[in-house]
C-alpha cells in the first residue's frame, strides 16, 4: 500500500471516529459531481453497485400501516440497495410533508454514504448534483454521461419501458415495485399527465418544471425566511418548489412512473421508490446543501426547527395551517424513524453537520 493510500485510510478512519464521537475535527468536503475526478466518480458508482449485490438486511422492516403506506410486503430476496428504497417507500407518508423531511433525508443520505464505506470499501465523499447548473437544459446536461466507467447514464429507451441502457448503472436490477432495470424519462411538463399538488398549493398544468429549480429560485430560498424554518421547508419541499422538480423532470423511478403493465393502485404512484435511481442520492445531497446553506446564512437559522408528525399528504386539509405537518408537533428530541436502517437518532443529532452524528461541510 502506497504512502498516499495509507494516509487516505487514516484520514477516512479519523473522519468516521470523530463523527461517531460527536467531535468533528476533520470534516468531509462534499463536492459537486462534475468537480470530482473520473476515478472518484467511478469509485462511487462501483460502491453503489456493490450495495445492489449484497443481500437484504433482515433488520430492515416495514413499520407503517400498509393501509397508510400503500405498498406491498418487503421482498426478502431483494438487495441491500433495495432496502434503502423500501424504507423510503414505507416511510414516505411519515417523512414528507412533516417536520421529519429535512432531518430524515439528511440522515438517510449519510447512512447510505456510511454503508458505501463499511460494506463496499468506498473511501470517497458523498457528491451532489447541482441541478441549478442544468435547469436551462436538463435533457442535454453533461451529468448524464454514457460512459460505462464513470457515467450516470442517459435517458431511458421509450421502446423499452424507459429503462436506461448506458452508464455505470445500466445493469442494476431493482426490486420495487416489480423487478426491473432503472428507468428514466425526461418529463418537462409532468402536470399535464394529471399529477397534482397537495394541500393548499395549486399547480399550473402547463408549468415547465425546470423553472422551479433555477439558481434564482434556489438563491431566493436560501436568502429568505430568516429564522423561519417552517416557511423555508415549505418553499423548498412542496410541489412546484425546488425539491420535487428534479424528481419529476427525471421521470421514471424518480417520479414514480408505473412500470409497463402496471397501473395504480398496483404500482402505488408517487416518488416512493425514487431511490431506485442512484441520481436520488445526488439530488437529495443537493437538497441537504440548500438546507446547510440556509442554516449558515444567518445565525438565527442554524438550530431553528418546526413541524408536525402528521403529513399534509395524509390530511391535505391541514396544509394551509400546518404546511410542514400537523400536530403532534416534533422537536429536537424526536426520534427519526428508520425502518431498521439506523439505530436511534434524534432530530437534534443531525441539525449540525459538524457535530452529533455528522462531520461534513459543502464546497
Amino acid at each position: 500500500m502506497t504512502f498516499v493510500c495509507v494516509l487516505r485510510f487514516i484520514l477516512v478512519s479519523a473522519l468516521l471516529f470523530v463523527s461517531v464521537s460527536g467531535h468533528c475535527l476533520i470534516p468531509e468536503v462534499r463536492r459537486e459531481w462534475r468537480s470530482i475526478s473520473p476515478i472518484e466518480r467511478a469509485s462511487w458508482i462501483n460502491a453503489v453497485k456493490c450495495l445492489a449485490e449484497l443481500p437484504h438486511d433482515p433488520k430492515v422492516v416495514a413499520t407503517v400501516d400498509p393501509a397508510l403506506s400503500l405498498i406491498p410486503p418487503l421482498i426478502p430476496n431483494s438487495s441491500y440497495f433495495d432496502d434503502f428504497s423500501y424504507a423510503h417507500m414505507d416511510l414516505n407518508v411519515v417523512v414528507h410533508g412533516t417536520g421529519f423531511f429535512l432531518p430524515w433525508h439528511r440522515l438517510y443520505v449519510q447512512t447510505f454514504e456510511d454503508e458505501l464505506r463499511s460494506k463496499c470499501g468506498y473511501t470517497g465523499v458523498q457528491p451532489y448534483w447541482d441541478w441549478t447548473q442544468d435547469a436551462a437544459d436538463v435533457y442535454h446536461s453533461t451529468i448524464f454521461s454514457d460512459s460505462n466507467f464513470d457515467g450516470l447514464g442517459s435517458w431511458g429507451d421509450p421502446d423499452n419501458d424507459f429503462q436506461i441502457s448506458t452508464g455505470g448503472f445500466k445493469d442494476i436490477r431493482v426490486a420495487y415495485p416489480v423487478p426491473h432495470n432503472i428507468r428514466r424519462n425526461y418529463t418537462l411538463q409532468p402536470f399535464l399527465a394529471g399529477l397534482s399538488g397537495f394541500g393548499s398549493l395549486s399547480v399550473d398544468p402547463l408549468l415547465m418544471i425546470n423553472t422551479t429549480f433555477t439558481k434564482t429560485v434556489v438563491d431566493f430560498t436560501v436568502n429568505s425566511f430568516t429564522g423561519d424554518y417552517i416557511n423555508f421547508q415549505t418553499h423548498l419541499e412542496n410541489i412546484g418548489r425546488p425539491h420535487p422538480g428534479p424528481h419529476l423532470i427525471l421521470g421514471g423511478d424518480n417520479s414514480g412512473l408505473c412500470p409497463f403493465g402496471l397501473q395504480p393502485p398496483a404500482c402505488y404512484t408517487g416518488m416512493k421508490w425514487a431511490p431506485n435511481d442512484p441520481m436520488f442520492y445526488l439530488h437529495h445531497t443537493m437538497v441537504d446543501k440548500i438546507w446547510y446553506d440556509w442554516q449558515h446564512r444567518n445565525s438565527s437559522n442554524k438550530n431553528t426547527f418546526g413541524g408536525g408528525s402528521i403529513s399534509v399528504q395524509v390530511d391535505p386539509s391541514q396544509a394551509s395551517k400546518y404546511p410542514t405537518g400537523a400536530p403532534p408537533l416534533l422537536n429536537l428530541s424526536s426520534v427519526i424513524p428508520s425502518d431498521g436502517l439506523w439505530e436511534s437518532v434524534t432530530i437534534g443529532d443531525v441539525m449540525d453537520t459538524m457535530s452529533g452524528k455528522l462531520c461534513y461541510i459543502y464546497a
Side-chain angles (χ1 to χ4, degrees), residues 85-240:
S85 291
Y86 194 81
H88 187 267
M89 290 162 52
D90 183 53
L91 294 168
N92 192 271
V93 295
V94 176
V95 302
H96 296 85
T98 73
F100 280 126
F101 174 69
L102 288 170
W104 188 88
H105 284 86
R106 173 172 280 181
L107 181 57
Y108 181 75
V109 170
Q110 180 63 59
T111 302
F112 186 76
E113 180 185 14
D114 291 343
E115 298 298 75
L116 293 180
R117 288 202 180 103
S118 65
K119 289 182 167 58
C120 294
Y122 182 59
T123 58
V125 176
Q126 173 61 33
Y128 63 92
W129 170 29
D130 180 0
W131 16 259
T132 67
Q133 297 182 26
D134 304 306
D137 187 6
V138 175
Y139 187 85
H140 295 103
S141 170
T142 58
I143 202 166
F144 302 113
S145 167
D146 291 333
S147 169
N148 291 332
F149 176 68
D150 68 332
L152 296 169
S154 189
W155 305 102
D157 180 358
D159 294 324
N160 189 28
D161 200 22
F162 297 105
Q163 295 179 101
I164 64 172
S165 59
T166 64
F169 299 121
K170 65 180 181 179
D171 296 322
I172 285 186
R173 192 78 173 163
V174 293
Y176 302 107
V178 292
H180 66 283
N181 286 14
I182 294 167
R183 301 158 64 249
R184 200 181 291 158
N185 67 301
Y186 179 71
T187 310
L188 186 59
Q189 292 179 290
F191 303 108
L192 282 178
L195 181 67
S196 62
F198 58 81
S200 60
L201 292 176
S202 59
V203 181
D204 179 358
L206 300 178
L207 177 68
M208 299 288 187
I209 201 65
N210 63 324
T211 63
T212 66
F213 54 90
T214 64
K215 187 176 187 304
T216 298
V217 171
V218 170
D219 285 349
F220 173 81
T221 305
V222 170
N223 294 318
S224 304
F225 317 112
T226 301
D228 185 353
Y229 181 93
I230 289 177
N231 275 315
F232 167 73
Q233 178 185 323
T234 301
H235 193 86
L236 175 60
E237 180 192 10
N238 286 2
I239 293 292

Side-chain angles (χ1 to χ4, degrees), residues 33-90:
W33 177 259
R34 287 159 290 196
S35 72
I36 64 178
S37 71
I39 291 177
E40 290 173 307
R41 293 195 292 264
S43 177
W44 187 82
I45 289 170
N46 288 332
V48 173
K49 291 163 70 175
C50 163
L51 285 189
E53 295 169 356
L54 298 178
H56 158 67
D57 185 342
K59 293 196 303 292
V60 176
V61 295
T63 59
V64 177
D65 183 347
L68 187 62
S69 67
L70 300 178
I71 63 172
L74 186 144
I75 301 172
N77 63 349
S78 59
S79 74
Y80 189 53
F81 179 78
D82 291 321
D83 285 346
F84 277 83
S85 291
Y86 194 81
H88 187 267
M89 290 162 52
D90 183 53

Side-chain angles (χ1 to χ4, degrees), residues 317-347:
S317 66
Q318 298 275 35
S320 59
K321 186 176 182 180
Y322 301 109
T324 61
L329 297 180
L330 302 172
N331 56 56
L332 297 183
S333 298
S334 299
V335 175
I336 302 174
S338 71
D339 272 8
L341 281 177
W342 54 77
E343 301 299 328
S344 181
V345 178
T346 68
I347 290 173

